[in-house]
Amino acid sequence: MTTATDLNQPTLEHGAPAGRRLSLPVLMLVIAGALALTSLVRLITGADGITNVSQMSTALQLAVPIGLAGLGGLWAERAGVVNIGLEGMMILGTWFGAWAGFQWGPWTGVLVGIVGGCLGGLLHAIVTITFNVNHIVSGVAINILALGATRYLAPLAFEGHQGGSAKQSPPVESLGHFTVPGLSDGLVSLNDKGWFLISDIAGLLGGLVTNVSWLTLIAVALIPATWWILWRTPFGLRLRSCGENPVAAESLGVNVYKYKYLAVIISGGLAGLGGVFLSIVANPFYLEGQTSGRGYIGLAAMIFGNWMPGGLAIGAGLFGYTDSLNLRGGSANVHALLLLGALLLVAGAIWLAIRKKYVQAAVTVLVGALVFAWYASTDDVPNQVVSATPYVVTLVVLALSAQRLRMPRANGMPYRKGQGK
């Protein structure tokens, strides 16, 4: 039986086995290297759009709902509850947010949208924690239920109002945007100069301070807030212990049911906030189907981030960036990124060779050569490839990161109070 000291092992405190986590300096070096390669590709191909301010601003807007959904998944799964229902909770957030927003104002819509997501989380908690229904089955059921419920409610709530229909809400007022005066203009000017690396960094930073919604600022702040709460407070330690070893946590006096319920309800609220972002910020109205699978991509971002907030943010940013290629010069930018992909594959092959994984290195070089041949033999890519890029990147990233992942030990496992006695 696990003792109290098991709750203080490094795997619980840090969320991954010792030696598998990248240190912050190494991670920053990897990011800097990737940005330098991107800058080199921009200079070679002339595709200035891949790092300009407008591209980065769009990428941030597309990354926020994915990141919020992933953050919701992180809260639930750190407490041991798999939340496949993130998509359905986002759908509830879009509908409730727009419904309240067009009647009582956008900030009321934000609060009501969060409540809508929390209701989905509460239902998932009751079904999985109290009645021990399989977590995957419950999550899929919530996705179907949320879609059906909003389709039924939309005509009742929106038809008869100006701009409303059976599939769309009336427009909602804007929450407002902010731009950092002086700094934004300076970064845009620096980005326009086209210098190696410096202009690319300026484009990245410029997207973070130019025409940014207040809800975006809140969403970004939730990333470090989640890390601090879950990894630096007694509340967070107890919650994570429920996902690692609930029997040991119960033996130390932790009310496992309470923490699981709180985690899943918070998870639903965060997913609902992601839905609110879609129906109030990204579009000023609810539109049937506007989540477009972002709840699932958020789950993929959480897995890519190894159930850690920082990694999740990087994953959401990556998926948001690839999705933004559809909106701004997609074909030319994706063609340029083929060269970037080839260079990254070569760098990966070198790393594998250094670690004496020669077979994997050879395969990686071969794939990189094929990608480069595709780039060199074409001047464009089909629109279908552009549209599929975010989903292809999701699959590739998850496949490449699978070996270093470690989910919470008791994630998805049934638990009954007193089962360790």
Side-chain angles (χ1 to χ4, degrees), residues 335-395:
H335 183 259
L337 291 179
L338 290 176
L339 178 58
L340 175 61
L343 293 175
L344 289 173
L345 286 168
V346 171
I350 294 172
W351 172 248
L352 289 170
I354 292 173
R355 299 179 66 186
K356 299 182 179 181
K357 297 182 178 180
Y358 299 115
V359 175
Q360 295 95 319
V363 172
T364 305
V365 168
L366 177 60
V367 175
L370 292 174
V371 173
F372 179 77
W374 184 7
Y375 165 78
S377 61
T378 60
D379 296 323
D380 209 345
V381 294
N383 290 330
Q384 294 87 344
V385 174
V386 178
S387 300
T389 297
Y391 307 100
V392 172
V393 169
T394 301
L395 292 174

Coordinates of all heavy atoms in Angstrom, one line a residue, residues 335-395:
H335 N 3.8 26.6 -48.3 CA 4.9 26.1 -49.2 C 6.2 26.5 -48.6 O 7.2 25.7 -48.6 CB 4.7 26.7 -50.5 CG 5.7 26.3 -51.5 ND1 6.9 27.0 -51.9 CD2 5.8 25.1 -52.2 CE1 7.6 26.4 -52.8 NE2 7.0 25.2 -53.0
A336 N 6.4 27.7 -48.0 CA 7.6 28.1 -47.4 C 7.9 27.2 -46.2 O 9.1 26.8 -45.9 CB 7.6 29.5 -47.0
L337 N 6.9 26.8 -45.4 CA 7.1 26.0 -44.2 C 7.5 24.6 -44.6 O 8.0 23.9 -43.7 CB 5.8 26.0 -43.4 CG 5.5 27.4 -42.7 CD1 4.2 27.3 -41.9 CD2 6.7 27.8 -41.8
L338 N 7.3 24.1 -45.8 CA 7.8 22.8 -46.2 C 9.3 22.8 -46.1 O 9.9 21.8 -45.6 CB 7.4 22.5 -47.7 CG 6.0 22.2 -47.9 CD1 5.7 22.0 -49.4 CD2 5.5 21.0 -47.2
L339 N 10.0 23.9 -46.5 CA 11.4 24.0 -46.3 C 11.8 24.0 -44.8 O 12.8 23.4 -44.4 CB 12.0 25.3 -47.0 CG 13.5 25.6 -46.8 CD1 14.3 24.4 -47.4 CD2 13.8 26.9 -47.5
L340 N 11.0 24.7 -44.0 CA 11.3 24.7 -42.6 C 11.2 23.3 -42.0 O 12.0 22.9 -41.2 CB 10.3 25.7 -41.9 CG 10.4 25.7 -40.3 CD1 11.8 26.1 -39.9 CD2 9.3 26.6 -39.8
G341 N 10.1 22.6 -42.4 CA 9.9 21.2 -42.0 C 11.1 20.3 -42.4 O 11.6 19.5 -41.6
A342 N 11.6 20.5 -43.6 CA 12.8 19.7 -44.0 C 14.0 20.0 -43.1 O 14.7 19.1 -42.7 CB 13.1 20.0 -45.5
L343 N 14.2 21.3 -42.8 CA 15.4 21.6 -42.0 C 15.2 21.1 -40.6 O 16.2 20.6 -40.0 CB 15.5 23.2 -42.0 CG 15.9 23.8 -43.3 CD1 15.9 25.3 -43.1 CD2 17.3 23.4 -43.7
L344 N 14.0 21.2 -40.0 CA 13.8 20.6 -38.7 C 14.0 19.1 -38.6 O 14.5 18.6 -37.7 CB 12.4 21.0 -38.2 CG 12.1 22.5 -37.9 CD1 10.7 22.7 -37.6 CD2 13.0 22.9 -36.7
L345 N 13.6 18.4 -39.7 CA 13.8 17.0 -39.8 C 15.3 16.6 -39.8 O 15.7 15.7 -39.2 CB 13.0 16.4 -41.0 CG 11.5 16.3 -40.8 CD1 10.9 16.0 -42.2 CD2 11.1 15.3 -39.8
V346 N 16.0 17.4 -40.6 CA 17.5 17.2 -40.6 C 18.1 17.4 -39.2 O 18.9 16.6 -38.8 CB 18.1 18.1 -41.7 CG1 19.7 18.0 -41.5 CG2 17.7 17.7 -43.0
A347 N 17.7 18.5 -38.5 CA 18.2 18.8 -37.2 C 17.8 17.6 -36.3 O 18.6 17.2 -35.4 CB 17.6 20.1 -36.7
G348 N 16.6 17.1 -36.4 CA 16.2 16.0 -35.6 C 17.0 14.7 -35.8 O 17.3 14.0 -34.9
A349 N 17.3 14.5 -37.1 CA 18.1 13.4 -37.5 C 19.5 13.5 -36.9 O 20.1 12.5 -36.4 CB 18.2 13.2 -39.0
I350 N 20.1 14.7 -36.9 CA 21.4 14.9 -36.2 C 21.3 14.6 -34.7 O 22.2 13.9 -34.2 CB 21.9 16.3 -36.5 CG1 22.2 16.5 -38.0 CG2 23.2 16.6 -35.7 CD1 22.5 17.9 -38.3
W351 N 20.3 15.0 -34.1 CA 20.1 14.8 -32.7 C 20.0 13.3 -32.4 O 20.6 12.7 -31.5 CB 18.9 15.5 -32.2 CG 18.5 15.2 -30.7 CD1 17.4 14.5 -30.3 CD2 19.2 15.5 -29.6 NE1 17.4 14.4 -29.0 CE2 18.5 15.0 -28.5 CE3 20.4 16.1 -29.3 CZ2 18.9 15.1 -27.2 CZ3 20.9 16.2 -28.0 CH2 20.1 15.7 -26.9
L352 N 19.2 12.6 -33.2 CA 19.1 11.1 -33.1 C 20.4 10.4 -33.3 O 20.7 9.4 -32.6 CB 18.0 10.6 -34.0 CG 16.5 11.0 -33.7 CD1 15.6 10.6 -34.9 CD2 16.1 10.3 -32.4
A353 N 21.2 10.8 -34.3 CA 22.5 10.2 -34.5 C 23.4 10.4 -33.4 O 24.2 9.5 -33.0 CB 23.1 10.8 -35.8
I354 N 23.4 11.6 -32.8 CA 24.2 11.9 -31.6 C 23.9 10.9 -30.5 O 24.7 10.4 -29.7 CB 24.1 13.3 -31.1 CG1 24.7 14.3 -32.2 CG2 24.7 13.6 -29.8 CD1 24.4 15.7 -31.9
R355 N 22.6 10.6 -30.3 CA 22.1 9.7 -29.3 C 22.2 8.2 -29.8 O 21.7 7.3 -29.1 CB 20.7 10.0 -29.0 CG 20.5 11.4 -28.4 CD 19.0 11.7 -28.1 NE 18.6 10.8 -27.0 CZ 17.3 10.8 -26.6 NH1 16.4 11.5 -27.2 NH2 16.9 10.0 -25.6
K356 N 22.9 8.0 -30.9 CA 23.2 6.6 -31.4 C 21.9 5.9 -31.8 O 21.9 4.6 -31.8 CB 24.0 5.8 -30.4 CG 25.4 6.5 -30.2 CD 26.2 5.6 -29.2 CE 27.6 6.3 -28.9 NZ 28.4 5.5 -28.0
K357 N 20.9 6.6 -32.2 CA 19.7 6.0 -32.7 C 19.7 6.1 -34.3 O 19.0 6.9 -34.9 CB 18.4 6.6 -32.2 CG 18.3 6.5 -30.7 CD 17.0 7.1 -30.1 CE 16.9 6.9 -28.6 NZ 15.6 7.5 -28.1
Y358 N 20.6 5.2 -34.8 CA 20.9 5.4 -36.2 C 19.8 5.0 -37.2 O 19.6 5.7 -38.2 CB 22.1 4.5 -36.6 CG 23.4 4.9 -35.8 CD1 23.9 4.1 -34.8 CD2 23.9 6.2 -35.9 CE1 25.0 4.4 -34.1 CE2 25.0 6.6 -35.1 CZ 25.6 5.7 -34.2 OH 26.7 6.0 -33.5
V359 N 19.0 4.1 -36.8 CA 17.8 3.7 -37.7 C 16.8 4.8 -37.8 O 16.4 5.2 -38.8 CB 17.2 2.4 -37.2 CG1 15.9 2.1 -38.0 CG2 18.2 1.2 -37.3
Q360 N 16.5 5.3 -36.6 CA 15.5 6.4 -36.5 C 16.1 7.7 -37.3 O 15.3 8.4 -38.0 CB 15.2 6.8 -35.1 CG 14.4 5.7 -34.3 CD 15.4 4.8 -33.5 OE1 16.5 4.5 -34.0 NE2 14.9 4.4 -32.3
A361 N 17.4 7.9 -37.1 CA 18.0 9.0 -37.8 C 17.9 8.9 -39.3 O 17.6 9.9 -40.0 CB 19.4 9.2 -37.3
A362 N 18.2 7.7 -39.8 CA 18.1 7.5 -41.2 C 16.7 7.7 -41.8 O 16.5 8.3 -42.8 CB 18.6 6.0 -41.5
V363 N 15.7 7.2 -41.0 CA 14.3 7.4 -41.5 C 14.0 8.8 -41.5 O 13.3 9.3 -42.4 CB 13.4 6.6 -40.5 CG1 11.9 6.9 -40.9 CG2 13.6 5.1 -40.7
T364 N 14.4 9.6 -40.4 CA 14.1 11.0 -40.4 C 14.7 11.8 -41.5 O 14.1 12.7 -42.1 CB 14.6 11.6 -39.0 OG1 14.0 10.8 -37.9 CG2 14.2 13.0 -38.9
V365 N 16.0 11.4 -41.9 CA 16.6 12.0 -43.0 C 15.9 11.8 -44.3 O 15.7 12.7 -45.1 CB 18.1 11.6 -43.1 CG1 18.7 12.0 -44.5 CG2 18.9 12.1 -42.0
L366 N 15.4 10.5 -44.5 CA 14.7 10.2 -45.7 C 13.4 11.0 -45.8 O 13.1 11.5 -46.8 CB 14.3 8.7 -45.6 CG 13.5 8.2 -46.8 CD1 14.2 8.4 -48.1 CD2 13.2 6.7 -46.6
V367 N 12.7 11.1 -44.7 CA 11.4 11.9 -44.7 C 11.7 13.4 -45.0 O 11.1 14.1 -45.8 CB 10.7 11.8 -43.3 CG1 9.5 12.7 -43.3 CG2 10.2 10.4 -43.1
G368 N 12.8 13.9 -44.4 CA 13.2 15.3 -44.6 C 13.6 15.5 -46.1 O 13.2 16.5 -46.7
A369 N 14.2 14.5 -46.7 CA 14.6 14.6 -48.1 C 13.3 14.6 -49.0 O 13.3 15.4 -50.0 CB 15.5 13.4 -48.5
L370 N 12.3 13.8 -48.6 CA 11.1 13.8 -49.4 C 10.3 15.2 -49.3 O 9.8 15.7 -50.3 CB 10.2 12.7 -48.9 CG 10.7 11.3 -49.2 CD1 9.8 10.3 -48.5 CD2 10.7 11.0 -50.7
V371 N 10.3 15.7 -48.1 CA 9.7 17.0 -47.9 C 10.4 18.1 -48.7 O 9.8 19.0 -49.3 CB 9.7 17.4 -46.4 CG1 9.1 18.8 -46.2 CG2 8.8 16.4 -45.6
F372 N 11.8 18.1 -48.7 CA 12.5 19.1 -49.4 C 12.3 18.9 -50.9 O 12.2 19.9 -51.7 CB 14.0 18.9 -49.1 CG 14.9 19.9 -49.9 CD1 14.9 21.2 -49.5 CD2 15.6 19.5 -51.1 CE1 15.7 22.1 -50.3 CE2 16.3 20.4 -51.8 CZ 16.4 21.7 -51.4
A373 N 12.2 17.7 -51.4 CA 11.9 17.4 -52.8 C 10.5 18.0 -53.2 O 10.4 18.6 -54.3 CB 11.9 15.9 -53.1
W374 N 9.6 17.9 -52.3 CA 8.2 18.4 -52.5 C 8.4 20.0 -52.6 O 7.8 20.6 -53.5 CB 7.3 18.1 -51.4 CG 5.9 18.5 -51.5 CD1 5.3 19.1 -52.6 CD2 4.8 18.4 -50.6 NE1 4.0 19.4 -52.4 CE2 3.7 19.0 -51.2 CE3 4.8 17.9 -49.3 CZ2 2.5 19.0 -50.5 CZ3 3.6 17.9 -48.6 CH2 2.4 18.5 -49.2
Y375 N 9.1 20.6 -51.7 CA 9.3 22.0 -51.8 C 10.0 22.5 -53.0 O 9.6 23.4 -53.7 CB 10.1 22.5 -50.5 CG 10.6 23.9 -50.7 CD1 9.8 25.0 -50.5 CD2 12.0 24.1 -51.0 CE1 10.3 26.3 -50.6 CE2 12.5 25.4 -51.2 CZ 11.6 26.5 -51.0 OH 12.1 27.8 -51.1
A376 N 11.1 21.8 -53.4 CA 11.9 22.2 -54.5 C 11.2 22.0 -55.9 O 11.4 22.7 -56.8 CB 13.2 21.4 -54.5
S377 N 10.3 21.0 -56.0 CA 9.6 20.7 -57.2 C 8.3 21.4 -57.5 O 7.7 21.2 -58.5 CB 9.4 19.2 -57.3 OG 8.6 18.7 -56.3
T378 N 7.9 22.2 -56.5 CA 6.6 22.9 -56.6 C 6.8 24.4 -56.2 O 7.7 24.8 -55.6 CB 5.5 22.3 -55.7 OG1 6.0 22.4 -54.4 CG2 5.3 20.8 -56.1
D379 N 5.9 25.2 -56.7 CA 5.8 26.6 -56.3 C 4.6 26.9 -55.4 O 4.5 28.1 -55.0 CB 5.8 27.5 -57.6 CG 7.0 27.4 -58.4 OD1 8.1 27.2 -57.9 OD2 6.9 27.4 -59.7
D380 N 3.8 25.9 -55.2 CA 2.5 26.2 -54.5 C 2.1 24.8 -53.9 O 2.6 23.8 -54.2 CB 1.5 26.7 -55.4 CG 0.5 27.6 -54.7 OD1 0.4 27.5 -53.4 OD2 -0.3 28.3 -55.3
V381 N 1.1 24.9 -53.0 CA 0.5 23.7 -52.4 C -1.0 23.8 -52.6 O -1.5 24.9 -52.6 CB 0.9 23.5 -50.9 CG1 2.4 23.2 -50.7 CG2 0.4 24.7 -50.1
P382 N -1.6 22.6 -52.8 CA -3.1 22.7 -52.9 C -3.8 23.2 -51.7 O -3.3 23.1 -50.6 CB -3.5 21.2 -53.1 CG -2.2 20.5 -53.5 CD -1.1 21.3 -52.9
N383 N -4.9 23.9 -51.9 CA -5.7 24.4 -50.8 C -6.1 23.4 -49.8 O -6.3 23.7 -48.6 CB -6.9 25.2 -51.4 CG -6.6 26.4 -52.1 OD1 -5.6 27.1 -51.8 ND2 -7.4 26.8 -53.1
Q384 N -6.3 22.2 -50.3 CA -6.7 21.1 -49.3 C -5.6 20.8 -48.3 O -5.9 20.5 -47.2 CB -7.0 19.8 -50.1 CG -8.2 19.9 -51.0 CD -7.9 20.5 -52.4 OE1 -6.9 21.0 -52.6 NE2 -8.8 20.2 -53.3
V385 N -4.3 20.9 -48.8 CA -3.2 20.8 -47.9 C -3.2 21.9 -46.8 O -2.9 21.7 -45.6 CB -1.9 20.7 -48.7 CG1 -0.7 20.6 -47.7 CG2 -1.9 19.5 -49.6
V386 N -3.4 23.1 -47.3 CA -3.5 24.2 -46.4 C -4.5 24.0 -45.3 O -4.3 24.2 -44.1 CB -3.7 25.5 -47.1 CG1 -3.8 26.7 -46.2 CG2 -2.7 25.8 -48.2
S387 N -5.7 23.6 -45.7 CA -6.8 23.4 -44.7 C -6.5 22.3 -43.8 O -6.9 22.3 -42.6 CB -8.1 23.1 -45.5 OG -8.4 24.1 -46.3
A388 N -5.7 21.3 -44.2 CA -5.4 20.1 -43.4 C -4.2 20.3 -42.5 O -4.0 19.5 -41.6 CB -5.2 18.9 -44.3
T389 N -3.5 21.4 -42.7 CA -2.2 21.6 -42.0 C -2.3 21.5 -40.5 O -1.5 20.9 -39.8 CB -1.5 22.9 -42.5 OG1 -1.2 22.9 -43.8 CG2 -0.3 23.2 -41.7
P390 N -3.3 22.2 -39.9 CA -3.4 22.2 -38.4 C -3.6 20.7 -37.9 O -3.0 20.4 -36.8 CB -4.6 23.0 -38.1 CG -4.8 23.9 -39.3 CD -4.3 23.1 -40.4
Y391 N -4.3 19.9 -38.6 CA -4.6 18.6 -38.1 C -3.4 17.7 -38.4 O -3.1 16.8 -37.5 CB -5.9 18.1 -38.8 CG -7.1 19.0 -38.6 CD1 -7.4 19.9 -39.7 CD2 -7.7 19.1 -37.4 CE1 -8.5 20.8 -39.5 CE2 -8.8 20.0 -37.3 CZ -9.1 20.8 -38.3 OH -10.2 21.7 -38.2
V392 N -2.7 17.9 -39.5 CA -1.5 17.1 -39.7 C -0.5 17.4 -38.7 O 0.2 16.5 -38.2 CB -1.0 17.4 -41.2 CG1 0.4 16.7 -41.4 CG2 -2.0 16.9 -42.2
V393 N -0.3 18.7 -38.4 CA 0.7 19.1 -37.4 C 0.3 18.5 -36.0 O 1.2 18.0 -35.3 CB 0.8 20.6 -37.3 CG1 1.5 21.0 -36.1 CG2 1.4 21.2 -38.5
T394 N -1.0 18.4 -35.7 CA -1.4 17.8 -34.5 C -1.0 16.4 -34.4 O -0.4 15.9 -33.4 CB -2.9 17.9 -34.3 OG1 -3.4 19.2 -34.4 CG2 -3.4 17.2 -33.0
L395 N -1.2 15.6 -35.4 CA -0.8 14.2 -35.5 C 0.7 14.0 -35.4 O 1.2 13.2 -34.6 CB -1.4 13.5 -36.7 CG -2.9 13.4 -36.8 CD1 -3.3 12.8 -38.2 CD2 -3.4 12.5 -35.7

